[in-house]
Amino acid sequence: MDMIKIACLGLSGVMLGLILRQAKSSLAEVVSLATCLLIVFYSATKLSSVFEMINSIGSYFSEQKEYFRILLKIIGITYLADFASNICKDAGYSAIAGQIEIFGKISILAISSPIILALLEAVHSFL
């Protein structure tokens, strides 16, 4: 049911933005940004169940808690970079959107280096 609400909110924002774009383009961008923020804030209300699930999954990683934290950081970077990039693309700044995506990928690579090194050490120990 929540997905229907979000879909209706998103489509309403798009329709209102298209109508306002004909009259005044700056208002259309404000409507687009406001719609995005409303959806993000509504999504934030669902985070408590996600955090509960993450805590229960984290209990299985008692020995490798640091790897689990790294995975959570990677997920956060992915969502944040995608969200910021899409807003920039929507506003017509695709070059900035591309740079955000590249920085997100580099950040993920930098953060994941301990996992990559542990994987290489495990492979090396088998040889």
Side-chain angles (χ1 to χ4, degrees):
M1 210 56 177
D2 290 333
M3 189 60 224
I4 293 172
K5 290 178 189 177
I6 295 300
C8 289
L9 175 64
L11 291 174
S12 298
V14 168
M15 295 297 180
L16 185 60
L18 289 174
I19 292 169
L20 289 175
R21 184 170 287 158
Q22 294 172 354
K24 200 167 192 181
S25 65
S26 61
L27 286 177
E29 291 178 15
V30 170
V31 167
S32 174
L33 182 61
T35 303
C36 289
L37 289 175
L38 283 172
I39 292 172
V40 166
F41 289 139
Y42 188 77
S43 300
T45 63
K46 303 293 180 188
L47 287 178
S48 64
S49 63
V50 172
F51 285 136
E52 288 175 14
M53 180 199 59
I54 288 172
N55 284 333
S56 65
I57 291 173
S59 65
Y60 294 112
F61 291 99
S62 59
E63 294 176 10
Q64 291 91 12
K65 270 249 196 260
E66 186 60 32
Y67 296 148
F68 185 66
R69 285 191 195 115
I70 290 170
L71 289 173
L72 290 179
K73 287 179 185 179
I74 289 170
I75 291 169
I77 289 170
T78 302
Y79 278 116
L80 187 60
D82 185 53
F83 179 72
S85 173
N86 285 332
I87 287 178
C88 291
K89 285 178 187 175
D90 189 43
Y93 293 95
S94 60
I96 295 173
Q99 295 304 312
I100 290 171
E101 290 172 355
I102 288 172
F103 184 79
K105 291 172 185 175
I106 292 171
S107 297
I108 289 171
L109 183 62
I111 288 174
S112 67
S113 60
I115 294 175
I116 294 170
L117 289 174
L119 180 64
L120 289 175
E121 287 174 6
V123 169
H124 182 62
S125 68
F126 287 128
L127 300 176

